[in-house]
Amino acid sequence: MMRKENRKQDMDGIINIKKEAGMTSHDVVFKLRKILGTKKIGHGGTLDPDVVGVLPIAVGKATRMVEFMQDEGKIYEGEITLGFSTTTEDASGEVIERTPVQDPLDADEVDRMIAQMVGEIEQVPPMYSAVKVNGRKLYEYARAGEEVERPIRQVTIYSFERTSPICYEDKVAHFTFRVKCSKGTYIRTLSVDLGEKLGYAAHMSHLTRTSAAGLQLEDSLTLEEIAEENKENFINAGGESYRYIPALNANPAHIHALAKLVERYL
């Protein structure tokens, strides 16, 4: 009994992390385990190393809610470049095709092509991704120089719009965009597919996730900021219980899972 009373109080809640470029989502979890002194941590939606922005983190008992956090739509703001494509479909890859932009594009036509991609669409995941085929991640095949058949996935684009004028330099064109989409959507692939519709090789040249699981970028904290916070105050301010998780659709799977949580912890 004494051991239980003296044990450090568990931390439970949702933390709004601002993931910085150059880190994987797993890197963030690894560092947070050290900062918070707890092993029970999970993230609600992977971000590629070059992508910055909101990474929802569940701590303690809240890790049981990760699957529901991932069901909430995500919002991204980024940039698409037309004129060349890369191996990774983003700016980090090697150039594999060039289609110089010789003349200005018709902005209305670009917007029409963007509008056609709103709704339920099919995507083929990029080779440089963590999707598994025959027990191996696609990026493992890609790094070994092997091509495999990739599964077609259905995702939902709730909104997609151009947010800047189209700019031109050195025979490429680029513009910024904002998209809200379902889990499992590859924005890199969305960028490449839009370029194909417009008749150009393309890639995603920048991306920031501004919202996920109801969490907003303006409220997020970097790992450095979290390390400087008083841990108890941070957990209280950063999302105790499950207050950051949006309302869930009342389907049998959710009801059963929530009932289990209530039965066990309340």
Side-chain angles (χ1 to χ4, degrees):
M1 179 65 69
M2 288 297 294
R3 287 178 60 191
K4 185 175 182 179
E5 291 176 351
N6 292 333
R7 188 177 63 186
K8 183 179 177 180
Q9 184 176 1
D10 291 336
M11 299 177 185
D12 306 295
I14 306 300
I15 303 174
N16 184 358
I17 292 289
K18 180 181 180 180
K19 191 190 83 65
E20 298 176 284
M23 301 181 67
T24 68
S25 300
H26 292 297
D27 289 338
V28 174
V29 170
F30 178 78
K31 290 179 180 294
L32 267 179
R33 284 178 177 144
K34 290 188 174 182
I35 292 171
L36 300 180
T38 182
K39 294 183 178 180
K40 200 169 184 181
I41 297 179
H43 63 78
T46 301
L47 282 178
D48 291 335
D50 288 345
V51 179
V52 301
V54 174
L55 180 64
I57 297 288
V59 182
K61 297 173 185 176
T63 54
R64 293 176 172 269
M65 303 301 289
V66 166
E67 63 178 293
F68 303 124
M69 293 162 61
Q70 294 176 340
D71 285 342
E72 178 68 8
K74 302 171 176 65
I75 299 176
Y76 297 88
E77 294 180 4
E79 181 186 69
I80 294 172
T81 294
L82 304 172
F84 65 94
S85 58
T86 70
T87 51
T88 57
E89 301 186 351
D90 62 16
S92 68
E94 298 178 1
V95 176
I96 54 175
E97 182 183 4
R98 292 187 183 274
T99 54
V101 180
Q102 305 285 7
D103 301 305
L105 293 111
D106 182 335
D108 290 337
E109 177 66 10
V110 172
D111 292 340
R112 280 194 292 272
M113 293 298 102
I114 288 173
Q116 288 180 10
M117 303 183 80
V118 175
E120 289 191 357
I121 64 171
E122 291 184 342
Q123 279 194 335
V124 177
M127 279 300 299
Y128 281 88
S129 67
V131 174
K132 287 188 175 182
V133 173
N134 298 325
R136 291 176 64 193
K137 294 178 180 178
L138 283 174
Y139 67 73
E140 294 175 337
Y141 289 106
R143 289 171 181 171
E146 302 175 30
E147 279 281 347
V148 294
E149 185 174 351
R150 290 167 280 170
I152 297 175
R153 306 171 73 176
Q154 191 167 58
V155 298
T156 303
I157 307 301
Y158 301 110
S159 63
F160 187 16
E161 60 182 341
R162 179 169 58 89
T163 56
S164 76
I166 303 171
C167 300
Y168 303 89
E169 58 179 318
D170 298 328
K171 296 184 179 180
V172 303
H174 53 87
F175 56 86
T176 61
F177 66 90
R178 182 178 186 272
V179 61
K180 181 175 182 181
C181 57
S182 66
K183 67 177 181 179
T185 303
Y186 280 94
I187 308 302
R188 288 179 282 156
T189 302
L190 191 70
S191 302
V192 170
D193 290 347
L194 175 60
E196 186 177 336
K197 280 180 169 288
L198 294 169
Y200 292 95
H203 69 281
M204 181 193 76
S205 41
H206 176 73
L207 191 66
T208 298
R209 185 155 71 189
T210 59
S211 179
L215 305 177
Q216 307 303 317
L217 182 61
E218 58 266 27
D219 301 321
S220 62
L221 294 173
T222 64
L223 287 174
E224 183 178 356
E225 289 171 327
I226 289 173
E228 293 173 354
E229 287 275 356
N230 177 280
K231 292 179 182 177
E232 182 178 353
N233 291 339
F234 171 72
I235 292 297
N236 289 338
E240 61 181 327
S241 301
Y242 310 114
R243 62 181 179 176
Y244 281 124
I245 297 179
L248 301 173
N249 293 327
N251 66 44
H254 287 160
I255 292 172
H256 178 73
L258 289 172
K260 287 289 186 181
L261 283 173
V262 171
E263 179 183 350
R264 184 166 182 176
Y265 295 116
L266 301 183

